Amino acid sequence: MSGLSWHAGGVHPRPAEARSRRIAAWVALLLGASSFLWFFPELDDVGLTWDEPHYFASADRIQDWTRQVVAGPDRSTPLSAEGIREAWDAYRYWNPHPPVYKEAMAVTEAVVGPRFGSLVGYRTAPLLFFSLLLIAVAWLAGRVWGITAGVGAGLALLGMPRLLGHAHIAATDIPLTLFWFVATAGFVSYARNGPTRHLWLGGIALGLAMGTKFTGWLVPAPLVAWLLLYGRRGRAWGGLIGWALVGLAVAFTLNPQAWHDPLGHVRQLVQESLDRETTVPIFTYYLGRVWEYTLPWHHAIVMTAVTLPVGILALFFVGGGRAAREGRRESFGVLCLLQVAFFWSLLALPGSPNHDGVRLFLPMFPFVAVLAGIGFSSLADSAGRLIEKRTAVGPARARAAGVLSSLLLGMLFFFPPYLQATRIAPYYLAYYGEAIGGTAGAARAGMEATYWLDAVTPAFLARLNDVVPNGARVGAHPNLSHYEHLQLYGMIRDDIELTLEVPQAYFILLARKASFQPVHWGIYEKVRPELAVEVDGVELVGLYRWSEEQMEGAAEAP
């Protein structure tokens, strides 16, 4: 099945097609539910990341503010500009984003936290969003390209270890990825003569994306390019305006920070986001050197190639080729290609933030998964036709042989990524694919193996608490305040004194090489850690203990 097959309202699909859609929907639901049940028990295995403590605190303030509004006798105080600022806009340097994803965290923490603990409660929100994303990707690919493509797209998404890692982390990235995909799918469905409810769904998702991160305001860009490419008029452009208006209404309704001064809030958001090189100049280690902010134009393309399993990459290229060939049919695959091109082009621009692995272009990967699903379906169809041509069997046996060939292809392309994801858990963000030789090959090529403190897992901290003696002073790099948060959460013993000063008898060093000074390179390369977290022999974080003689040697730059 090729080409887009959405139908206008009132036009009913044929019985066989309707049955195929129902099967695709059930397969998508099964994949989504299975992923949630698979990952929920390990939500607290991943280390607390750099940004999460600030988001947790914000979610707590949202809960308190909501209680004041609902139960307080004087509702004017929390609803005033100052009351909203205190509850929703505290510590802006660390927490500059609009609040939708934090609102979701506040809800799931209130529901799940009392039973499973606050950390799991906060992180239930991104895992739920990831499960919904998986359902949306598998369902849409199945609806448009057939059941085989739907299964392939869902399994391709599950075969992206970096994406799985972000599904465990309570931050902006997975929510934005879900909202971007649904906003796009809803609008395109309507533009292709789908029902108006799809436009409403897409508009709501657009508002949620805009209410999560500044990047969400860029969702319309590739859609406008798609409309211009096909010269659409009338319904499509009118729908785009309605879609955008619904999005704006949702974004402002769910953002109390914008209630008293909407234009001022948007202006501040845009200014801060476009001035990150000055306000938040995050360094990146790439190809063996530290880049102060702007990276080479090829960074996003290279990171896509080296952080996906080769099987998923191969299917992506096959599906992308098919989508390009069938562009005259206005296939959804062309829009998926435009989405990939948009993110690669955006991040190639001078001044674009490009730090933190693939995190800043995570919304691109569901479209990569759809193209991989299309590629899987193409290969399965080709195998089925070959079997039917080469063997003199009846239609029933030919269909059975086609199903068997699909299963074998699925094992070939999807089982290795599953094994890789299982083996690297919970250090998903340290994953590199076979194209660069895994994490070890990436380290040799000068790529960053860890960056977000997720490698400082509860298991590592439990071992640290066993090793470090009572009252010891422990140095930490980078981000001492993060370790102080870990101590407040009870993950580091209270009697341990944390400090930035070196030398100390003990020192925690995260191997975020973009932050290394000569002394850190010396420690990392010359001193054997007392405890370490390693992936493929590459150290991600270590607890060091040394003598004065060792420290003198370590202080020399390599």
Side-chain angles (χ1 to χ4, degrees), residues 259-279:
W259 290 353
H260 290 274
D261 184 12
L263 294 180
H265 174 75
V266 173
R267 184 168 56 250
Q268 182 182 21
L269 181 64
V270 172
Q271 288 174 346
E272 290 178 348
S273 300
L274 297 182
D275 196 32
R276 289 178 62 87
E277 187 170 1
T278 302
T279 58

Side-chain angles (χ1 to χ4, degrees), residues 110-263:
V111 174
V112 177
R115 174 72 182 275
F116 295 96
S118 290
L119 177 60
V120 172
Y122 296 127
R123 286 179 166 179
T124 297
L127 179 57
L128 180 61
F129 287 144
F130 174 78
S131 299
L132 292 174
L133 174 66
L134 183 56
I135 292 171
V137 166
W139 176 81
L140 183 62
R143 182 183 178 90
V144 176
W145 295 91
I147 297 172
T148 305
V151 172
L155 293 177
L157 200 72
L158 273 173
M160 300 177 180
R162 291 279 185 125
L163 202 69
L164 301 184
H166 284 287
H168 293 70
I169 296 167
T172 61
D173 308 292
I174 287 295
L176 178 64
T177 302
L178 168 67
F179 302 148
W180 189 298
F181 186 82
V182 175
T184 300
F187 171 74
V188 173
S189 172
Y190 175 81
R192 289 301 310 262
N193 295 318
T196 305
R197 65 177 181 274
H198 289 183
L199 186 70
W200 279 94
L201 177 63
I204 292 169
L206 172 65
L208 294 174
M210 297 164 71
T212 292
K213 202 171 187 176
F214 170 73
T215 314
W217 291 72
L218 304 180
V219 173
L223 290 174
V224 170
W226 182 76
L227 290 176
L228 291 173
L229 181 65
Y230 288 109
R232 286 193 165 273
R233 297 181 177 86
R235 174 185 175 93
W237 287 102
L240 184 70
I241 295 172
W243 174 80
L245 290 175
V246 171
L248 286 169
V250 171
F252 284 111
T253 300
L254 294 178
N255 187 358
Q257 296 165 255
W259 290 353
H260 290 274
D261 184 12
L263 294 180

Side-chain angles (χ1 to χ4, degrees), residues 21 26 128 157 166 240 275 315 338 353 359 372 393 401 403 414 429 439 445 450 521 542:
R21 290 184 179 188
W26 280 108
L128 180 61
L157 200 72
H166 284 287
L240 184 70
D275 196 32
L315 293 176
L338 285 174
R359 184 168 73 88
V393 296
V403 171
F414 299 123
L429 301 191
T439 305
T450 188
W521 278 110

Side-chain angles (χ1 to χ4, degrees), residues 331-494:
S331 73
F332 184 76
V334 171
L335 180 56
C336 292
L337 287 172
L338 285 174
Q339 294 283 348
V340 174
F342 169 75
F343 278 100
W344 284 352
S345 301
L346 178 67
L347 293 167
L349 295 174
S352 292
N354 236 330
H355 53 81
D356 290 358
V358 302
R359 184 168 73 88
L360 299 187
F361 54 103
L362 213 65
M364 180 190 80
F365 287 95
F367 299 98
V368 171
V370 171
L371 290 170
I374 295 170
F376 179 68
S377 177
S378 296
L379 294 179
D381 289 347
S382 298
R385 287 193 297 269
L386 183 63
I387 291 171
E388 190 172 358
K389 181 178 180 180
R390 294 291 182 88
T391 59
V393 296
R397 288 191 176 183
R399 284 194 297 270
V403 171
L404 179 60
S405 66
S406 297
L407 290 174
L408 292 175
L409 285 171
M411 292 289 289
L412 174 65
F413 286 103
F414 299 123
F415 192 60
Y418 166 78
L419 290 180
Q420 293 171 39
T422 302
R423 186 177 67 86
I424 204 168
Y427 311 110
Y428 297 103
L429 301 191
Y431 174 81
Y432 284 91
E434 304 93 327
I436 199 171
T439 305
R444 289 191 295 270
M447 311 295 274
E448 194 80 276
T450 188
Y451 63 89
W452 219 14
L453 287 163
D454 56 289
V456 186
T457 60
F460 171 77
L461 294 174
R463 293 163 61 203
L464 179 148
N465 287 328
D466 290 338
V467 168
V468 175
N470 292 336
R473 300 188 79 209
V474 177
H477 178 86
N479 196 353
L480 177 67
S481 64
H482 184 81
Y483 293 93
E484 293 172 340
H485 279 113
L486 294 175
Q487 196 167 45
L488 288 174
Y489 296 148
M491 297 182 184
I492 296 177
R493 292 200 326 263
D494 289 339

Side-chain angles (χ1 to χ4, degrees), residues 10-181:
V11 179
H12 300 287
R14 294 183 297 272
E17 188 174 346
R19 183 169 59 254
S20 177
R21 290 184 179 188
R22 286 196 297 271
I23 295 173
W26 280 108
V27 168
L29 287 171
L30 178 62
L31 285 172
S34 300
S35 70
F36 187 89
L37 295 175
W38 175 12
F39 295 121
F40 184 82
E42 62 177 47
L43 276 180
D44 53 359
D45 290 345
V46 174
L48 201 67
T49 58
W50 198 289
D51 299 324
E52 282 183 291
H54 306 285
Y55 299 159
F56 295 170
S58 183
D60 290 342
R61 288 192 296 271
I62 290 172
Q63 290 176 341
D64 293 339
W65 180 88
T66 303
R67 293 188 194 101
Q68 292 179 45
V69 172
V70 172
D74 183 7
R75 294 178 175 81
S76 61
T77 300
L79 291 173
S80 67
E82 184 60 30
I84 289 173
R85 189 177 303 111
E86 289 179 0
W88 295 79
D89 202 24
Y91 307 105
R92 186 169 185 86
Y93 177 85
W94 291 104
N95 193 11
H97 305 296
V100 163
Y101 70 102
K102 291 170 284 192
E103 293 167 345
M105 288 161 49
V107 171
T108 57
E109 195 283 329
V111 174
V112 177
R115 174 72 182 275
F116 295 96
S118 290
L119 177 60
V120 172
Y122 296 127
R123 286 179 166 179
T124 297
L127 179 57
L128 180 61
F129 287 144
F130 174 78
S131 299
L132 292 174
L133 174 66
L134 183 56
I135 292 171
V137 166
W139 176 81
L140 183 62
R143 182 183 178 90
V144 176
W145 295 91
I147 297 172
T148 305
V151 172
L155 293 177
L157 200 72
L158 273 173
M160 300 177 180
R162 291 279 185 125
L163 202 69
L164 301 184
H166 284 287
H168 293 70
I169 296 167
T172 61
D173 308 292
I174 287 295
L176 178 64
T177 302
L178 168 67
F179 302 148
W180 189 298
F181 186 82

